[in-house]
Structure formats: structure tokens, C-alpha cells
Amino acid sequence: MSSRIVKIFDTTLRDGEQSPGASLNIEEKIAIAKQLEKLGVDVIEAGFAAASPGDFEAINAIAKIIKNSTIASLARAVKQDIEKGLEAIKPAPRKRLHTFIATSPIHVEKKLKMSYEAVLDAAVDAVKFARNGCEEVEFSAEDATRSNWDYLCKVVESVINAGASVVNLPDTVGYTTPQEYYELITYIKNKVPNIDKAEVSVHCHNDLGMAVANSLSAVLAGADQVECTINGIGERAGNASLEEIVMAIKVRNDIYKASTNINTKEIYRTSRLVSKLTGIDIQRNKAIVGKNAFAHEAGIHQDGVIKEKSTYEIMKPEDVGIDSSSLVLGKHSGKHGLEKRLVELGYQLTKEQLEDIFEKFKVLADKKKEVYDEDLHALVEDKIKFSPSVYEIVSLQVSSGTNITPTATIKLSKNGEIFEDAALGDGPVDAVYKALERITFVKGQLKFYEIKSITESREALGEATVKVYFPDIDKNIIGRGVATDVIEASAKAYLDAINKALMYIT
Ligand SMILES: [Zn+2]
């Protein structure tokens, strides 16, 4: 065991949120930040303060809540951006301003249209300016991997002299290879005379599928910090995946001779939360957190695992927080048993929430006999909403068939008041959505719709996810709903999106 700690800088809320399709509201960002703190990440990059008032507000709110992780805001190397960033992170007990400018010929000449001297000056000025408002300043040389190495050395040396304590060398376009990146990090470490005054950070994109490999190669070359995201989400093909980097460093400690501050048992829960809230699914065969990551299908493998787990398992599901105990609850399980299991799964619920979940659990147990952890996760996640439930479904009736026009009749409640309406549609789900729009007066365009069963049985809970574009607020919003009836789940998902949209309208 070595004592060298590789710091984990999570950028799920900044780079990850730039994923096509992901868009989180402030409550959802706070929920993710809290979970990242529990996971033990060293730095949470909470957003890009100057990008929008919403981004600023979210960073500021997170800065007020999070105590153990450093809160960072990204800022271009311009004064107004840095001022906004400094203001947003101000309340945080630990804070970092992260500023950047591109250093590669293509970016400097074609995008910035600046001279190399001007870029160098801008970088130094930005770091100095940021240092006036924040002790800890990170500088990123955007597109570092396509930059001239000697120019890069000059920039790095200068920003360290200006007061940067972390220097990031991103592979912005996912172009480098493990060997080349190793050489680049080594070059910087050898050639920059004051490099020992700063931490070296890496940030890799996955365009060629090498983000994790490149990051790990940099760790071998002595990188102090890795920037990554949960489930590897991010611009285009995404960022390096946090869970893969952390587990590789842990499982292959013999190679990396380092460790991280991550509580790996929180990995699975964090992964689920991010997937739910962003609406970005995790592929089944995804390393570490995919549904199949610990499933053994081949007979020979199953036989081996039964005899001795380590025959085919290099890590235990429990290590990443997947409970492999096949504990199943049924309709005879009492409230106490349910509560105990929920606590084991990491949920702390109020009495009222527990009461409500117990009622839903009984209905479900009646229908499907065996209730698995996956079902419990779904019930709880359906209950803990990150938006106020403005409207709630009281009742829902749908008639459809081969020779009739689908009709939906819906009753909703809002602050105790009941609203009812009906609508026809091209299909039962369409009829439901039209009825919901008639009652709430919120018009949306369905961009994405998915229904899946949570466990594998006919009576399983169905989980609906929708992405709806609301022209009035010019936003895409993700909605989710869970129920044993697929139409009801679909209705809940659409109403969830409408309720979130109403936060912007009212
Ligand atoms: Zn990036």
C-alpha cells in the first residue's frame, strides 16, 4: 500500500451536465452534490457561473450546503467570468476558482484569433485576478494535448508563478493515447522548473474510448488529480468515468501504488442517482455499475463462482455498494422489516415518507409476491421528488382497444382542489398526455419516451421516463414515474415534467 493519494475532481455537474439531453434543475443539482460529498470526492465542479443565472444560483446554493468537498466554478480567462465564479463559490468553506484558456494552434489561431503572447498574458492575468478572491486557483490549458509542448511548459510555469496551485492538462477533444499522454505529463514534470509548487491534473474525453486509459496512464506518470464524471457522462462521447478510474486504482493497487479518498461503497448509489436525474441510461455492460457488471451467465463461470468467487470476480459487488444478498421481502414483511431494509439500502426517510412507502409496498407485494431491492429503490425514488408536486394524480381512467378511439379521463388535485378533464388521443398514452395538458394549461412536446420494467416478472413495476420540450420556457425537462400499471407510470412521468416546468412559469 502506498500513501500517495490521487485526488478526484468530479465534474458531473459541469462537464457532465453538458451531455446532450441532460438538464438538471437546482434541487437535482443539490441532491447530486450531496451524494458526491458522501462519495468522498475531493472537488465538486458545480458549474460554470457565468454561463447562465441558473448555473450561478446552483453553484451558490451548493457552496452554502457542502462542507467536506471543495466547490469549484469554471470561468473563462476573462474578468467578468472570474468575478461571477468568485461570487458564486464565496459561501463554500473550501473553494476553488477554475479558469481556462486554449493553448493549441488550432484554438489560438482559429478560435481565439490571438497571438501566443496574448494568450500567455491572458492566462497569467486571469490567475492573478482570481487569486485576489480565492486562495485556490486551478488553471486549465484547453486542448493541451494538441498544443506545442514547449509553449505549454512556458504557460504552465507562468501560471504557477502567478499563483495557480493546480494545473490541468486536458485532452479536450479525446485525441491522445495512453503512451503519448504519459510522455506529455512526464515532459511537463521534467521541464517546468516550478512544477513542484502545483498539482498536476488531467481531464480526458472519451471520443476514441480511451479516456479512462489515458487518465490512468497520467496517474502512472505522476498526475495528482483526475477530473472525471459519474457514469462517464459529458460532452459528446463523455468524460473519463469516475467509477472506473477509482476501482482500477483500488483493484490494481500493485500497479498504480496510490489510493483515492473515495468511499467506493457509495459508487452504485451515486451512479443510480445521476442516471435517474439526468435521464441518461447506463448501458447494461458498463464496467462497475452496469446491470451485467457482476452477472455470470456462462455455466462454467457460474460453477466457478459458486466454488470460489475469485475464480471469475476481481472485485466484490459489495465493494461498490451493490448488495448481493438475495433478501426478498413479501406481503408478510412488516413495516419494521421494510424500514430495516431501506436503512440498509442507505435511505433515511421521515415517518411520513415511510408510512407512504409502506402503503405502496403492501399494494406491490400483493401483486407480485416477491419484492426486490430494485423495487424498493424505485418506490423510494418515486417518492423523493426534486420538485414540488404541484399537481398530483387522484384517479386515471383510460379506454382503448382495436376499434375504439383511445380516451383518457383524469382527476388531478392541486392544494386540495380537484380538477378533472378528458381527452381523445392517437393512443392511450397520447390521450393521457392531452388530458394532462388540458387540466394544467401547460403545453409540451414529447421528445423521448421510454418504459421499462424494473425487475423481470409480469407483475413488475414499470418505470416511465420522458423528455418534454416546453416552448414557453424553452427548456427540455426530464420526468419520471413508477407504477405497476404502464399507463399510470407514463402519466406520472409526464405530470412530473409538467410540475417541474411550472417551477419556471410561476
Ligand atoms: Zn471537458
Side-chain angles (χ1 to χ4, degrees):
M1 242 344 227
S2 154
S3 61
R4 181 163 95 95
I5 300 270
V6 174
K7 289 191 180 160
I8 299 295
F9 175 115
D10 180 278
T11 184
T12 304
L13 292 173
R14 203 275 300 164
D15 216 326
E17 220 238 351
Q18 285 171 230
S19 304
S23 131
L24 300 163
N25 67 33
I26 188 164
E27 300 301 324
E28 292 168 329
K29 285 184 183 175
I30 291 171
I32 290 175
K34 283 181 173 168
Q35 183 56 38
L36 290 171
E37 185 182 37
K38 250 180 153 178
L39 179 66
V41 306
D42 299 280
V43 184
I44 297 172
E45 186 163 60
F48 191 158
S52 74
D55 255 48
F56 177 91
E57 232 182 285
I59 300 167
N60 198 241
I62 289 167
K64 286 176 186 154
I65 293 169
I66 302 300
K67 303 274 175 283
N68 299 322
S69 308
T70 297
I71 303 302
S73 170
L74 188 66
R76 285 174 304 170
V78 290
K79 264 190 180 169
Q80 301 91 297
D81 268 35
I82 297 169
E83 273 168 353
K84 275 259 183 305
L86 290 172
E87 204 185 324
I89 59 175
K90 203 170 184 183
R94 298 155 192 254
K95 45 185 163 276
R96 177 183 297 180
L97 195 287
H98 179 194
T99 188
F100 74 98
I101 193 163
T103 49
S104 67
I106 185 143
H107 279 236
V108 171
E109 289 161 28
K110 300 277 187 281
K111 184 183 83 173
L112 300 173
K113 298 190 195 309
M114 286 165 79
S115 70
Y116 289 92
E117 294 73 36
V119 167
L120 181 64
D121 289 347
V124 167
D125 289 349
V127 169
K128 281 186 180 156
F129 185 68
R131 272 300 302 268
N132 288 329
C134 187
E135 273 291 296
E136 214 172 284
V137 174
E138 170 169 340
F139 174 81
S140 280
E142 189 187 7
D143 207 16
T145 49
R146 292 193 298 171
S147 303
N148 174 290
W149 288 12
D150 289 321
Y151 176 65
L152 201 55
C153 286
K154 205 161 122 195
V155 173
V156 168
E157 184 183 351
S158 308
V159 295
I160 294 173
N161 279 334
S165 51
V166 184
V167 180
N168 186 35
L169 304 166
D171 184 31
T172 307
V173 293
Y175 183 70
T176 198
T177 68
Q179 181 68 28
E180 183 187 60
Y181 207 36
Y182 183 94
E183 283 162 15
L184 172 64
I185 304 297
T186 308
Y187 193 83
I188 297 283
K189 288 208 143 220
N190 290 338
K191 296 278 165 129
V192 176
N194 55 358
I195 196 72
D196 56 321
K197 293 200 175 66
E199 289 176 4
V200 173
S201 170
V202 293
H203 176 118
C204 295
H205 277 269
N206 206 31
D207 298 71
L208 291 172
M210 294 192 281
V212 169
N214 289 337
S215 305
L216 290 170
S217 189
V219 167
L220 280 180
D224 305 285
Q225 171 181 285
V226 177
E227 304 193 358
C228 44
T229 61
I230 302 296
N231 301 335
I233 63 171
E235 283 272 8
R236 308 182 308 277
N239 286 63
S241 134
L242 180 147
E243 58 278 7
E244 293 175 23
I245 287 167
V246 167
M247 291 312 289
I249 290 175
K250 186 179 164 95
V251 172
R252 295 311 306 272
N253 184 261
D254 57 326
I255 302 279
Y256 296 106
K257 306 199 185 336
S259 54
T260 68
N261 291 320
I262 297 297
N263 174 6
T264 62
K265 289 191 185 322
E266 292 291 338
I267 284 178
Y268 185 59
R269 199 169 299 140
T270 315
S271 163
R272 280 186 68 96
L273 183 71
V274 168
S275 168
K276 294 271 153 179
L277 297 186
T278 56
I280 300 172
D281 254 345
I282 302 162
Q283 78 200 54
R284 272 181 171 257
N285 61 329
K286 166 84 174 64
I288 317 292
V289 291
K291 211 170 179 160
N292 293 352
F294 293 95
H296 301 279
E297 191 73 24
I300 289 175
H301 289 205
Q302 286 178 351
D303 179 59
V305 169
I306 289 164
K307 285 174 180 150
E308 166 57 48
K309 279 195 169 184
S310 61
T311 49
Y312 289 98
E313 270 187 12
I314 58 164
M315 55 196 156
K316 296 197 282 293
E318 301 90 275
D319 294 344
V320 297
I322 299 173
D323 201 308
S324 61
S325 77
S326 51
L327 189 75
V328 179
L329 298 176
K331 67 178 187 179
H332 300 295
S333 309
K335 200 189 298 176
H336 191 71
L338 174 69
E339 186 181 10
K340 189 165 165 275
R341 190 67 195 142
L342 289 173
V343 170
E344 283 164 1
L345 292 175
Y347 295 111
Q348 279 156 349
L349 301 174
T350 64
K351 233 181 154 158
E352 194 198 0
Q353 285 172 327
L354 178 68
E355 205 64 53
D356 188 77
I357 298 219
F358 185 56
E359 288 308 312
K360 293 195 170 122
F361 163 77
K362 278 197 299 192
V363 174
L364 183 65
D366 229 23
K367 280 191 190 159
K368 76 179 285 251
K369 314 288 179 266
E370 291 176 321
V371 177
Y372 298 94
D373 289 347
E374 287 293 308
D375 297 313
L376 297 180
H377 281 301
L379 286 181
V380 176
E381 284 160 359
D382 192 46
K383 179 70 198 161
I384 306 173
K385 283 271 156 63
F386 298 99
S387 57
S389 289
V390 184
Y391 286 101
E392 276 176 274
I393 295 173
V394 178
S395 69
L396 166 77
Q397 203 186 0
V398 179
S399 59
S400 72
T402 42
N403 288 317
I404 58 165
T405 306
T407 314
T409 309
I410 299 178
K411 215 187 266 186
L412 299 182
S413 75
K414 180 187 173 187
N415 304 326
E417 221 183 314
I418 300 291
F419 300 85
E420 188 172 0
D421 212 330
L424 305 173
D426 296 336
V429 172
D430 185 48
V432 164
Y433 290 0
K434 288 203 168 111
L436 289 172
E437 291 189 347
R438 285 175 70 119
I439 300 175
T440 59
F441 297 102
V442 179
K443 289 255 171 295
Q445 294 157 12
L446 188 65
K447 294 284 176 197
F448 172 83
Y449 168 83
E450 183 187 58
I451 184 108
K452 57 183 181 193
S453 74
I454 285 167
T455 53
E456 277 132 29
S457 80
R458 289 181 80 170
E459 301 81 8
L461 280 171
E463 180 183 49
T465 305
V466 295
K467 184 163 96 186
V468 186
Y469 174 70
F470 294 97
D472 290 347
I473 53 170
D474 189 28
K475 266 190 187 338
N476 283 308
I477 291 181
I478 306 280
R480 281 168 304 275
V482 168
T484 45
D485 179 283
V486 293
I487 303 290
E488 190 189 339
S490 308
K492 282 174 129 181
Y494 202 74
L495 191 60
D496 183 36
I498 287 177
N499 280 332
K500 285 180 185 165
L502 283 169
M503 289 168 69
Y504 295 98
I505 294 168
T506 48

